[in-house]
Amino acid sequence: MFRTILAATIVTLTASTAPCLAAESNMKNLTFDLSSVTRDNFYEVVVPAAKAEGSVTMYNFAGSFGDTWQELIRRFEAKYGIKVSYSDVKGDQANQQLIAVQSAGQDSPVDVYFAGGGGYPLLSSKGVVGKIALTKILPNMDHYDPVLSDTVFGKPHGGSFPLVHLNQTAIGYDSATVTPAEVPKSFQDLLAWAEKNPKRLGVTSPAKGGSGSGFLYSLALDLLTGDCKAKLTDTNQTLDEAETWAMDSECLDPVWDYYRRLLAVAELTNGNADTLNLINNRQLAMGTVWEDQVMTFLGTKQVPDTIRLTLLEKGQVGSGDAMFVPANATHVASALLLIDMAMSKDFQLWKLENKASRSPRTDVSTDQVPAETQVHMLPSSVYPRLSVTAFWDMATALSEALDEKVINQ
């Protein structure tokens, strides 16, 4: 993990003056003095260097975000006159490509990578992530959530791997058929509703969709206590360690018992989109969903306008995805400018209104979007209060154990 003198230096300096120390950076192709850059002089130093570069290359791992990044690119090119070359990629393949390039000592094919937030441990361990304290020097990160500034899902990154998009798992329901009194408030309420309304609840298969694995991990957080819960949230564990514990521990017996009851009366769906399609077809009245995906489906009329969202006590998993500069990037200044614009308040508000993409900025909230949009998002009574941090390696381990112990029995 990225733990260097840089981290200690940043703590002792103010947010507006902390430089990114070149001596602690692994960047290979700098054309400007990165060590001199602060929030205060960022544009003075970076804009001329970026214009001299003239172009920047961006990868996007999330197919549903293509139109979002095209809007960012339109704004960026109009403001700076710097051409953006853009590609949609498959995250696992792009990760392996960048690892191979880094290992070979070659220049990176990409300057800005919008990557899955859970990819940090792998990418950083292979030296792919550029050690630039982005959260400390980018002007548009001056209102960045301090909880997220230095870590991602419990892993320290020193500001180099900032989330620029937050998303939230939730329970979606059709308000045309589910009355306000029936909306579940807890996991036990949800199970009771499912048993009263057989085959009307869809639970996304944890192996095939993040809303399903997020639901499973959230359920475990709800049911476990004491040392068992501490193990569930110990992000120092490797994936192998999490898998061994999930398969062998008696701590999780209440989770498997809950799922046995749930799957006896609920539909196990084949993915996030499948759950929403079944709600749209009125085959389901309720299901596990992602908030931002619901908004995307609403925009293309793939779910009923009557769909609403809620979160369960004692909380459901929130997640997010990051933008970073690879260590071997060739257009570093332009990359910094593009990430800075992605974190601007105007763009983060546009992203929230149009995609239900939550923001790491502390000055962006649903109160600032139109009421007709808010009605399809999680209400302020449950979000962010009931959003809990994901530990995706453990969620993966739980999913594998659920397959063996419950689903394939």
Side-chain angles (χ1 to χ4, degrees), residues 381-407:
S381 60
V382 299
Y383 185 91
R385 180 176 64 88
L386 295 179
S387 177
V388 298
T389 302
F391 176 20
W392 287 116
D393 280 351
M394 181 58 74
T396 297
L398 293 176
S399 298
E400 293 168 354
L402 179 72
D403 273 349
E404 181 166 323
K405 293 175 178 292
V406 179
I407 295 175

mmCIF file with all atom_site columns, all heavy atoms in Angstrom, residues 381-407:
data_model
loop_
_atom_site.group_PDB
_atom_site.id
_atom_site.type_symbol
_atom_site.label_atom_id
_atom_site.label_alt_id
_atom_site.label_comp_id
_atom_site.label_asym_id
_atom_site.label_entity_id
_atom_site.label_seq_id
_atom_site.pdbx_PDB_ins_code
_atom_site.Cartn_x
_atom_site.Cartn_y
_atom_site.Cartn_z
_atom_site.occupancy
_atom_site.B_iso_or_equiv
_atom_site.pdbx_formal_charge
_atom_site.auth_seq_id
_atom_site.auth_comp_id
_atom_site.auth_asym_id
_atom_site.auth_atom_id
_atom_site.pdbx_PDB_model_num
ATOM 1   N N   . SER A 1 381 ? -34.271 10.783  4.045  1.00 0.00 ? 381 SER A N   1
ATOM 2   C CA  . SER A 1 381 ? -34.505 10.136  5.339  1.00 0.00 ? 381 SER A CA  1
ATOM 3   C C   . SER A 1 381 ? -33.675 8.869   5.519  1.00 0.00 ? 381 SER A C   1
ATOM 4   O O   . SER A 1 381 ? -33.439 8.426   6.651  1.00 0.00 ? 381 SER A O   1
ATOM 5   C CB  . SER A 1 381 ? -35.988 9.800   5.494  1.00 0.00 ? 381 SER A CB  1
ATOM 6   O OG  . SER A 1 381 ? -36.413 8.918   4.475  1.00 0.00 ? 381 SER A OG  1
ATOM 7   N N   . VAL A 1 382 ? -33.217 8.270   4.401  1.00 0.00 ? 382 VAL A N   1
ATOM 8   C CA  . VAL A 1 382 ? -32.425 7.035   4.505  1.00 0.00 ? 382 VAL A CA  1
ATOM 9   C C   . VAL A 1 382 ? -31.010 7.177   3.942  1.00 0.00 ? 382 VAL A C   1
ATOM 10  O O   . VAL A 1 382 ? -30.114 6.415   4.305  1.00 0.00 ? 382 VAL A O   1
ATOM 11  C CB  . VAL A 1 382 ? -33.137 5.852   3.811  1.00 0.00 ? 382 VAL A CB  1
ATOM 12  C CG1 . VAL A 1 382 ? -34.474 5.570   4.469  1.00 0.00 ? 382 VAL A CG1 1
ATOM 13  C CG2 . VAL A 1 382 ? -33.289 6.083   2.317  1.00 0.00 ? 382 VAL A CG2 1
ATOM 14  N N   . TYR A 1 383 ? -30.801 8.133   3.040  1.00 0.00 ? 383 TYR A N   1
ATOM 15  C CA  . TYR A 1 383 ? -29.470 8.315   2.457  1.00 0.00 ? 383 TYR A CA  1
ATOM 16  C C   . TYR A 1 383 ? -28.972 9.725   2.762  1.00 0.00 ? 383 TYR A C   1
ATOM 17  O O   . TYR A 1 383 ? -29.716 10.695  2.554  1.00 0.00 ? 383 TYR A O   1
ATOM 18  C CB  . TYR A 1 383 ? -29.493 8.099   0.935  1.00 0.00 ? 383 TYR A CB  1
ATOM 19  C CG  . TYR A 1 383 ? -28.105 8.175   0.326  1.00 0.00 ? 383 TYR A CG  1
ATOM 20  C CD1 . TYR A 1 383 ? -27.340 7.015   0.187  1.00 0.00 ? 383 TYR A CD1 1
ATOM 21  C CD2 . TYR A 1 383 ? -27.539 9.381   -0.062 1.00 0.00 ? 383 TYR A CD2 1
ATOM 22  C CE1 . TYR A 1 383 ? -26.050 7.071   -0.341 1.00 0.00 ? 383 TYR A CE1 1
ATOM 23  C CE2 . TYR A 1 383 ? -26.251 9.441   -0.574 1.00 0.00 ? 383 TYR A CE2 1
ATOM 24  C CZ  . TYR A 1 383 ? -25.520 8.287   -0.716 1.00 0.00 ? 383 TYR A CZ  1
ATOM 25  O OH  . TYR A 1 383 ? -24.251 8.338   -1.219 1.00 0.00 ? 383 TYR A OH  1
ATOM 26  N N   . PRO A 1 384 ? -27.747 9.879   3.274  1.00 0.00 ? 384 PRO A N   1
ATOM 27  C CA  . PRO A 1 384 ? -26.688 8.875   3.400  1.00 0.00 ? 384 PRO A CA  1
ATOM 28  C C   . PRO A 1 384 ? -26.672 8.117   4.725  1.00 0.00 ? 384 PRO A C   1
ATOM 29  O O   . PRO A 1 384 ? -25.756 7.320   4.962  1.00 0.00 ? 384 PRO A O   1
ATOM 30  C CB  . PRO A 1 384 ? -25.430 9.726   3.255  1.00 0.00 ? 384 PRO A CB  1
ATOM 31  C CG  . PRO A 1 384 ? -25.792 11.029  3.859  1.00 0.00 ? 384 PRO A CG  1
ATOM 32  C CD  . PRO A 1 384 ? -27.239 11.256  3.507  1.00 0.00 ? 384 PRO A CD  1
ATOM 33  N N   . ARG A 1 385 ? -27.648 8.347   5.590  1.00 0.00 ? 385 ARG A N   1
ATOM 34  C CA  . ARG A 1 385 ? -27.631 7.763   6.934  1.00 0.00 ? 385 ARG A CA  1
ATOM 35  C C   . ARG A 1 385 ? -27.435 6.254   6.915  1.00 0.00 ? 385 ARG A C   1
ATOM 36  O O   . ARG A 1 385 ? -26.702 5.698   7.750  1.00 0.00 ? 385 ARG A O   1
ATOM 37  C CB  . ARG A 1 385 ? -28.942 8.117   7.651  1.00 0.00 ? 385 ARG A CB  1
ATOM 38  C CG  . ARG A 1 385 ? -29.069 7.567   9.063  1.00 0.00 ? 385 ARG A CG  1
ATOM 39  C CD  . ARG A 1 385 ? -30.358 8.056   9.724  1.00 0.00 ? 385 ARG A CD  1
ATOM 40  N NE  . ARG A 1 385 ? -31.557 7.582   9.063  1.00 0.00 ? 385 ARG A NE  1
ATOM 41  C CZ  . ARG A 1 385 ? -32.157 6.428   9.342  1.00 0.00 ? 385 ARG A CZ  1
ATOM 42  N NH1 . ARG A 1 385 ? -31.644 5.624   10.260 1.00 0.00 ? 385 ARG A NH1 1
ATOM 43  N NH2 . ARG A 1 385 ? -33.264 6.077   8.708  1.00 0.00 ? 385 ARG A NH2 1
ATOM 44  N N   . LEU A 1 386 ? -28.049 5.559   5.980  1.00 0.00 ? 386 LEU A N   1
ATOM 45  C CA  . LEU A 1 386 ? -28.014 4.097   5.965  1.00 0.00 ? 386 LEU A CA  1
ATOM 46  C C   . LEU A 1 386 ? -27.091 3.538   4.882  1.00 0.00 ? 386 LEU A C   1
ATOM 47  O O   . LEU A 1 386 ? -27.204 2.368   4.514  1.00 0.00 ? 386 LEU A O   1
ATOM 48  C CB  . LEU A 1 386 ? -29.430 3.541   5.780  1.00 0.00 ? 386 LEU A CB  1
ATOM 49  C CG  . LEU A 1 386 ? -30.397 3.835   6.931  1.00 0.00 ? 386 LEU A CG  1
ATOM 50  C CD1 . LEU A 1 386 ? -31.775 3.268   6.646  1.00 0.00 ? 386 LEU A CD1 1
ATOM 51  C CD2 . LEU A 1 386 ? -29.853 3.274   8.243  1.00 0.00 ? 386 LEU A CD2 1
ATOM 52  N N   . SER A 1 387 ? -26.164 4.347   4.412  1.00 0.00 ? 387 SER A N   1
ATOM 53  C CA  . SER A 1 387 ? -25.159 3.864   3.464  1.00 0.00 ? 387 SER A CA  1
ATOM 54  C C   . SER A 1 387 ? -23.942 3.376   4.240  1.00 0.00 ? 387 SER A C   1
ATOM 55  O O   . SER A 1 387 ? -23.412 4.102   5.089  1.00 0.00 ? 387 SER A O   1
ATOM 56  C CB  . SER A 1 387 ? -24.742 4.984   2.506  1.00 0.00 ? 387 SER A CB  1
ATOM 57  O OG  . SER A 1 387 ? -23.721 4.547   1.631  1.00 0.00 ? 387 SER A OG  1
ATOM 58  N N   . VAL A 1 388 ? -23.525 2.151   4.000  1.00 0.00 ? 388 VAL A N   1
ATOM 59  C CA  . VAL A 1 388 ? -22.370 1.578   4.700  1.00 0.00 ? 388 VAL A CA  1
ATOM 60  C C   . VAL A 1 388 ? -21.289 1.207   3.685  1.00 0.00 ? 388 VAL A C   1
ATOM 61  O O   . VAL A 1 388 ? -21.566 0.956   2.515  1.00 0.00 ? 388 VAL A O   1
ATOM 62  C CB  . VAL A 1 388 ? -22.763 0.350   5.545  1.00 0.00 ? 388 VAL A CB  1
ATOM 63  C CG1 . VAL A 1 388 ? -23.747 0.756   6.624  1.00 0.00 ? 388 VAL A CG1 1
ATOM 64  C CG2 . VAL A 1 388 ? -23.361 -0.751  4.677  1.00 0.00 ? 388 VAL A CG2 1
ATOM 65  N N   . THR A 1 389 ? -20.051 1.159   4.152  1.00 0.00 ? 389 THR A N   1
ATOM 66  C CA  . THR A 1 389 ? -18.899 0.942   3.270  1.00 0.00 ? 389 THR A CA  1
ATOM 67  C C   . THR A 1 389 ? -18.792 -0.507  2.831  1.00 0.00 ? 389 THR A C   1
ATOM 68  O O   . THR A 1 389 ? -18.932 -1.429  3.644  1.00 0.00 ? 389 THR A O   1
ATOM 69  C CB  . THR A 1 389 ? -17.602 1.358   3.984  1.00 0.00 ? 389 THR A CB  1
ATOM 70  O OG1 . THR A 1 389 ? -17.706 2.727   4.362  1.00 0.00 ? 389 THR A OG1 1
ATOM 71  C CG2 . THR A 1 389 ? -16.403 1.176   3.079  1.00 0.00 ? 389 THR A CG2 1
ATOM 72  N N   . ALA A 1 390 ? -18.510 -0.701  1.579  1.00 0.00 ? 390 ALA A N   1
ATOM 73  C CA  . ALA A 1 390 ? -18.333 -2.044  1.035  1.00 0.00 ? 390 ALA A CA  1
ATOM 74  C C   . ALA A 1 390 ? -16.942 -2.591  1.345  1.00 0.00 ? 390 ALA A C   1
ATOM 75  O O   . ALA A 1 390 ? -15.979 -1.846  1.469  1.00 0.00 ? 390 ALA A O   1
ATOM 76  C CB  . ALA A 1 390 ? -18.531 -2.016  -0.480 1.00 0.00 ? 390 ALA A CB  1
ATOM 77  N N   . PHE A 1 391 ? -16.848 -3.907  1.499  1.00 0.00 ? 391 PHE A N   1
ATOM 78  C CA  . PHE A 1 391 ? -15.581 -4.640  1.507  1.00 0.00 ? 391 PHE A CA  1
ATOM 79  C C   . PHE A 1 391 ? -15.781 -5.740  0.474  1.00 0.00 ? 391 PHE A C   1
ATOM 80  O O   . PHE A 1 391 ? -16.265 -6.818  0.776  1.00 0.00 ? 391 PHE A O   1
ATOM 81  C CB  . PHE A 1 391 ? -15.291 -5.188  2.905  1.00 0.00 ? 391 PHE A CB  1
ATOM 82  C CG  . PHE A 1 391 ? -14.059 -6.053  3.008  1.00 0.00 ? 391 PHE A CG  1
ATOM 83  C CD1 . PHE A 1 391 ? -13.047 -6.014  2.055  1.00 0.00 ? 391 PHE A CD1 1
ATOM 84  C CD2 . PHE A 1 391 ? -13.901 -6.922  4.086  1.00 0.00 ? 391 PHE A CD2 1
ATOM 85  C CE1 . PHE A 1 391 ? -11.921 -6.814  2.159  1.00 0.00 ? 391 PHE A CE1 1
ATOM 86  C CE2 . PHE A 1 391 ? -12.772 -7.721  4.210  1.00 0.00 ? 391 PHE A CE2 1
ATOM 87  C CZ  . PHE A 1 391 ? -11.788 -7.662  3.244  1.00 0.00 ? 391 PHE A CZ  1
ATOM 88  N N   . TRP A 1 392 ? -15.422 -5.424  -0.779 1.00 0.00 ? 392 TRP A N   1
ATOM 89  C CA  . TRP A 1 392 ? -15.841 -6.271  -1.882 1.00 0.00 ? 392 TRP A CA  1
ATOM 90  C C   . TRP A 1 392 ? -15.171 -7.637  -1.906 1.00 0.00 ? 392 TRP A C   1
ATOM 91  O O   . TRP A 1 392 ? -15.750 -8.618  -2.392 1.00 0.00 ? 392 TRP A O   1
ATOM 92  C CB  . TRP A 1 392 ? -15.645 -5.546  -3.214 1.00 0.00 ? 392 TRP A CB  1
ATOM 93  C CG  . TRP A 1 392 ? -16.658 -4.456  -3.416 1.00 0.00 ? 392 TRP A CG  1
ATOM 94  C CD1 . TRP A 1 392 ? -16.432 -3.120  -3.519 1.00 0.00 ? 392 TRP A CD1 1
ATOM 95  C CD2 . TRP A 1 392 ? -18.085 -4.611  -3.512 1.00 0.00 ? 392 TRP A CD2 1
ATOM 96  N NE1 . TRP A 1 392 ? -17.619 -2.435  -3.666 1.00 0.00 ? 392 TRP A NE1 1
ATOM 97  C CE2 . TRP A 1 392 ? -18.640 -3.320  -3.665 1.00 0.00 ? 392 TRP A CE2 1
ATOM 98  C CE3 . TRP A 1 392 ? -18.940 -5.706  -3.473 1.00 0.00 ? 392 TRP A CE3 1
ATOM 99  C CZ2 . TRP A 1 392 ? -20.016 -3.099  -3.789 1.00 0.00 ? 392 TRP A CZ2 1
ATOM 100 C CZ3 . TRP A 1 392 ? -20.310 -5.494  -3.589 1.00 0.00 ? 392 TRP A CZ3 1
ATOM 101 C CH2 . TRP A 1 392 ? -20.836 -4.210  -3.751 1.00 0.00 ? 392 TRP A CH2 1
ATOM 102 N N   . ASP A 1 393 ? -13.960 -7.748  -1.380 1.00 0.00 ? 393 ASP A N   1
ATOM 103 C CA  . ASP A 1 393 ? -13.343 -9.081  -1.300 1.00 0.00 ? 393 ASP A CA  1
ATOM 104 C C   . ASP A 1 393 ? -14.167 -9.988  -0.386 1.00 0.00 ? 393 ASP A C   1
ATOM 105 O O   . ASP A 1 393 ? -14.382 -11.169 -0.689 1.00 0.00 ? 393 ASP A O   1
ATOM 106 C CB  . ASP A 1 393 ? -11.908 -8.981  -0.782 1.00 0.00 ? 393 ASP A CB  1
ATOM 107 C CG  . ASP A 1 393 ? -10.929 -8.558  -1.865 1.00 0.00 ? 393 ASP A CG  1
ATOM 108 O OD1 . ASP A 1 393 ? -11.332 -8.518  -3.048 1.00 0.00 ? 393 ASP A OD1 1
ATOM 109 O OD2 . ASP A 1 393 ? -9.763  -8.281  -1.537 1.00 0.00 ? 393 ASP A OD2 1
ATOM 110 N N   . MET A 1 394 ? -14.645 -9.439  0.721  1.00 0.00 ? 394 MET A N   1
ATOM 111 C CA  . MET A 1 394 ? -15.492 -10.237 1.607  1.00 0.00 ? 394 MET A CA  1
ATOM 112 C C   . MET A 1 394 ? -16.833 -10.528 0.945  1.00 0.00 ? 394 MET A C   1
ATOM 113 O O   . MET A 1 394 ? -17.377 -11.639 1.085  1.00 0.00 ? 394 MET A O   1
ATOM 114 C CB  . MET A 1 394 ? -15.699 -9.518  2.935  1.00 0.00 ? 394 MET A CB  1
ATOM 115 C CG  . MET A 1 394 ? -16.555 -10.289 3.938  1.00 0.00 ? 394 MET A CG  1
ATOM 116 S SD  . MET A 1 394 ? -15.889 -11.935 4.361  1.00 0.00 ? 394 MET A SD  1
ATOM 117 C CE  . MET A 1 394 ? -14.517 -11.467 5.424  1.00 0.00 ? 394 MET A CE  1
ATOM 118 N N   . ALA A 1 395 ? -17.391 -9.554  0.230  1.00 0.00 ? 395 ALA A N   1
ATOM 119 C CA  . ALA A 1 395 ? -18.649 -9.796  -0.472 1.00 0.00 ? 395 ALA A CA  1
ATOM 120 C C   . ALA A 1 395 ? -18.494 -10.923 -1.487 1.00 0.00 ? 395 ALA A C   1
ATOM 121 O O   . ALA A 1 395 ? -19.385 -11.771 -1.645 1.00 0.00 ? 395 ALA A O   1
ATOM 122 C CB  . ALA A 1 395 ? -19.120 -8.516  -1.158 1.00 0.00 ? 395 ALA A CB  1
ATOM 123 N N   . THR A 1 396 ? -17.357 -10.947 -2.183 1.00 0.00 ? 396 THR A N   1
ATOM 124 C CA  . THR A 1 396 ? -17.080 -12.029 -3.132 1.00 0.00 ? 396 THR A CA  1
ATOM 125 C C   . THR A 1 396 ? -16.991 -13.364 -2.413 1.00 0.00 ? 396 THR A C   1
ATOM 126 O O   . THR A 1 396 ? -17.544 -14.378 -2.866 1.00 0.00 ? 396 THR A O   1
ATOM 127 C CB  . THR A 1 396 ? -15.758 -11.748 -3.882 1.00 0.00 ? 396 THR A CB  1
ATOM 128 O OG1 . THR A 1 396 ? -15.902 -10.556 -4.644 1.00 0.00 ? 396 THR A OG1 1
ATOM 129 C CG2 . THR A 1 396 ? -15.401 -12.897 -4.813 1.00 0.00 ? 396 THR A CG2 1
ATOM 130 N N   . ALA A 1 397 ? -16.300 -13.371 -1.286 1.00 0.00 ? 397 ALA A N   1
ATOM 131 C CA  . ALA A 1 397 ? -16.149 -14.605 -0.514 1.00 0.00 ? 397 ALA A CA  1
ATOM 132 C C   . ALA A 1 397 ? -17.502 -15.112 -0.016 1.00 0.00 ? 397 ALA A C   1
ATOM 133 O O   . ALA A 1 397 ? -17.788 -16.319 -0.064 1.00 0.00 ? 397 ALA A O   1
ATOM 134 C CB  . ALA A 1 397 ? -15.206 -14.360 0.663  1.00 0.00 ? 397 ALA A CB  1
ATOM 135 N N   . LEU A 1 398 ? -18.354 -14.205 0.442  1.00 0.00 ? 398 LEU A N   1
ATOM 136 C CA  . LEU A 1 398 ? -19.687 -14.596 0.889  1.00 0.00 ? 398 LEU A CA  1
ATOM 137 C C   . LEU A 1 398 ? -20.512 -15.162 -0.263 1.00 0.00 ? 398 LEU A C   1
ATOM 138 O O   . LEU A 1 398 ? -21.263 -16.137 -0.092 1.00 0.00 ? 398 LEU A O   1
ATOM 139 C CB  . LEU A 1 398 ? -20.411 -13.399 1.498  1.00 0.00 ? 398 LEU A CB  1
ATOM 140 C CG  . LEU A 1 398 ? -19.852 -12.826 2.809  1.00 0.00 ? 398 LEU A CG  1
ATOM 141 C CD1 . LEU A 1 398 ? -20.644 -11.580 3.212  1.00 0.00 ? 398 LEU A CD1 1
ATOM 142 C CD2 . LEU A 1 398 ? -19.864 -13.858 3.920  1.00 0.00 ? 398 LEU A CD2 1
ATOM 143 N N   . SER A 1 399 ? -20.379 -14.563 -1.437 1.00 0.00 ? 399 SER A N   1
ATOM 144 C CA  . SER A 1 399 ? -21.121 -15.033 -2.609 1.00 0.00 ? 399 SER A CA  1
ATOM 145 C C   . SER A 1 399 ? -20.723 -16.459 -2.964 1.00 0.00 ? 399 SER A C   1
ATOM 146 O O   . SER A 1 399 ? -21.580 -17.302 -3.286 1.00 0.00 ? 399 SER A O   1
ATOM 147 C CB  . SER A 1 399 ? -20.874 -14.105 -3.798 1.00 0.00 ? 399 SER A CB  1
ATOM 148 O OG  . SER A 1 399 ? -21.321 -12.797 -3.532 1.00 0.00 ? 399 SER A OG  1
ATOM 149 N N   . GLU A 1 400 ? -19.431 -16.735 -2.912 1.00 0.00 ? 400 GLU A N   1
ATOM 150 C CA  . GLU A 1 400 ? -18.955 -18.086 -3.236 1.00 0.00 ? 400 GLU A CA  1
ATOM 151 C C   . GLU A 1 400 ? -19.460 -19.104 -2.208 1.00 0.00 ? 400 GLU A C   1
ATOM 152 O O   . GLU A 1 400 ? -19.880 -20.210 -2.562 1.00 0.00 ? 400 GLU A O   1
ATOM 153 C CB  . GLU A 1 400 ? -17.427 -18.083 -3.292 1.00 0.00 ? 400 GLU A CB  1
ATOM 154 C CG  . GLU A 1 400 ? -16.870 -17.249 -4.448 1.00 0.00 ? 400 GLU A CG  1
ATOM 155 C CD  . GLU A 1 400 ? -15.369 -17.008 -4.338 1.00 0.00 ? 400 GLU A CD  1
ATOM 156 O OE1 . GLU A 1 400 ? -14.782 -17.391 -3.291 1.00 0.00 ? 400 GLU A OE1 1
ATOM 157 O OE2 . GLU A 1 400 ? -14.783 -16.451 -5.286 1.00 0.00 ? 400 GLU A OE2 1
ATOM 158 N N   . ALA A 1 401 ? -19.436 -18.709 -0.940 1.00 0.00 ? 401 ALA A N   1
ATOM 159 C CA  . ALA A 1 401 ? -19.912 -19.607 0.098  1.00 0.00 ? 401 ALA A CA  1
ATOM 160 C C   . ALA A 1 401 ? -21.421 -19.827 -0.005 1.00 0.00 ? 401 ALA A C   1
ATOM 161 O O   . ALA A 1 401 ? -21.922 -20.948 0.221  1.00 0.00 ? 401 ALA A O   1
ATOM 162 C CB  . ALA A 1 401 ? -19.547 -19.038 1.481  1.00 0.00 ? 401 ALA A CB  1
ATOM 163 N N   . LEU A 1 402 ? -22.168 -18.773 -0.366 1.00 0.00 ? 402 LEU A N   1
ATOM 164 C CA  . LEU A 1 402 ? -23.615 -18.915 -0.526 1.00 0.00 ? 402 LEU A CA  1
ATOM 165 C C   . LEU A 1 402 ? -23.935 -19.911 -1.632 1.00 0.00 ? 402 LEU A C   1
ATOM 166 O O   . LEU A 1 402 ? -24.854 -20.737 -1.485 1.00 0.00 ? 402 LEU A O   1
ATOM 167 C CB  . LEU A 1 402 ? -24.225 -17.547 -0.867 1.00 0.00 ? 402 LEU A CB  1
ATOM 168 C CG  . LEU A 1 402 ? -25.734 -17.528 -1.089 1.00 0.00 ? 402 LEU A CG  1
ATOM 169 C CD1 . LEU A 1 402 ? -26.478 -17.714 0.240  1.00 0.00 ? 402 LEU A CD1 1
ATOM 170 C CD2 . LEU A 1 402 ? -26.171 -16.231 -1.770 1.00 0.00 ? 402 LEU A CD2 1
ATOM 171 N N   . ASP A 1 403 ? -23.193 -19.836 -2.734 1.00 0.00 ? 403 ASP A N   1
ATOM 172 C CA  . ASP A 1 403 ? -23.402 -20.795 -3.830 1.00 0.00 ? 403 ASP A CA  1
ATOM 173 C C   . ASP A 1 403 ? -23.284 -22.221 -3.334 1.00 0.00 ? 403 ASP A C   1
ATOM 174 O O   . ASP A 1 403 ? -24.110 -23.092 -3.647 1.00 0.00 ? 403 ASP A O   1
ATOM 175 C CB  . ASP A 1 403 ? -22.390 -20.549 -4.943 1.00 0.00 ? 403 ASP A CB  1
ATOM 176 C CG  . ASP A 1 403 ? -22.855 -19.499 -5.937 1.00 0.00 ? 403 ASP A CG  1
ATOM 177 O OD1 . ASP A 1 403 ? -24.044 -19.121 -5.882 1.00 0.00 ? 403 ASP A OD1 1
ATOM 178 O OD2 . ASP A 1 403 ? -22.037 -19.040 -6.755 1.00 0.00 ? 403 ASP A OD2 1
ATOM 179 N N   . GLU A 1 404 ? -22.230 -22.486 -2.562 1.00 0.00 ? 404 GLU A N   1
ATOM 180 C CA  . GLU A 1 404 ? -21.962 -23.848 -2.134 1.00 0.00 ? 404 GLU A CA  1
ATOM 181 C C   . GLU A 1 404 ? -22.921 -24.314 -1.041 1.00 0.00 ? 404 GLU A C   1
ATOM 182 O O   . GLU A 1 404 ? -23.386 -25.464 -1.049 1.00 0.00 ? 404 GLU A O   1
ATOM 183 C CB  . GLU A 1 404 ? -20.517 -23.975 -1.645 1.00 0.00 ? 404 GLU A CB  1
ATOM 184 C CG  . GLU A 1 404 ? -20.163 -25.386 -1.193 1.00 0.00 ? 404 GLU A CG  1
ATOM 185 C CD  . GLU A 1 404 ? -18.673 -25.590 -1.040 1.00 0.00 ? 404 GLU A CD  1
ATOM 186 O OE1 . GLU A 1 404 ? -17.890 -25.027 -1.847 1.00 0.00 ? 404 GLU A OE1 1
ATOM 187 O OE2 . GLU A 1 404 ? -18.263 -26.334 -0.123 1.00 0.00 ? 404 GLU A OE2 1
ATOM 188 N N   . LYS A 1 405 ? -23.215 -23.443 -0.088 1.00 0.00 ? 405 LYS A N   1
ATOM 189 C CA  . LYS A 1 405 ? -23.952 -23.841 1.093  1.00 0.00 ? 405 LYS A CA  1
ATOM 190 C C   . LYS A 1 405 ? -25.470 -23.770 0.940  1.00 0.00 ? 405 LYS A C   1
ATOM 191 O O   . LYS A 1 405 ? -26.199 -24.444 1.659  1.00 0.00 ? 405 LYS A O   1
ATOM 192 C CB  . LYS A 1 405 ? -23.516 -22.985 2.284  1.00 0.00 ? 405 LYS A CB  1
ATOM 193 C CG  . LYS A 1 405 ? -22.073 -23.223 2.736  1.00 0.00 ? 405 LYS A CG  1
ATOM 194 C CD  . LYS A 1 405 ? -21.674 -22.271 3.834  1.00 0.00 ? 405 LYS A CD  1
ATOM 195 C CE  . LYS A 1 405 ? -20.266 -22.541 4.313  1.00 0.00 ? 405 LYS A CE  1
ATOM 196 N NZ  . LYS A 1 405 ? -20.151 -23.848 5.022  1.00 0.00 ? 405 LYS A NZ  1
ATOM 197 N N   . VAL A 1 406 ? -25.950 -22.915 0.003  1.00 0.00 ? 406 VAL A N   1
ATOM 198 C CA  . VAL A 1 406 ? -27.399 -22.697 -0.105 1.00 0.00 ? 406 VAL A CA  1
ATOM 199 C C   . VAL A 1 406 ? -27.913 -22.936 -1.523 1.00 0.00 ? 406 VAL A C   1
ATOM 200 O O   . VAL A 1 406 ? -28.755 -23.801 -1.759 1.00 0.00 ? 406 VAL A O   1
ATOM 201 C CB  . VAL A 1 406 ? -27.777 -21.284 0.374  1.00 0.00 ? 406 VAL A CB  1
ATOM 202 C CG1 . VAL A 1 406 ? -29.280 -21.061 0.237  1.00 0.00 ? 406 VAL A CG1 1
ATOM 203 C CG2 . VAL A 1 406 ? -27.337 -21.054 1.810  1.00 0.00 ? 406 VAL A CG2 1
ATOM 204 N N   . ILE A 1 407 ? -27.395 -22.160 -2.468 1.00 0.00 ? 407 ILE A N   1
ATOM 205 C CA  . ILE A 1 407 ? -27.971 -22.168 -3.810 1.00 0.00 ? 407 ILE A CA  1
ATOM 206 C C   . ILE A 1 407 ? -27.803 -23.506 -4.510 1.00 0.00 ? 407 ILE A C   1
ATOM 207 O O   . ILE A 1 407 ? -28.742 -23.997 -5.158 1.00 0.00 ? 407 ILE A O   1
ATOM 208 C CB  . ILE A 1 407 ? -27.362 -21.026 -4.652 1.00 0.00 ? 407 ILE A CB  1
ATOM 209 C CG1 . ILE A 1 407 ? -27.775 -19.661 -4.055 1.00 0.00 ? 407 ILE A CG1 1
ATOM 210 C CG2 . ILE A 1 407 ? -27.817 -21.113 -6.113 1.00 0.00 ? 407 ILE A CG2 1
ATOM 211 C CD1 . ILE A 1 407 ? -27.143 -18.474 -4.737 1.00 0.00 ? 407 ILE A CD1 1
#
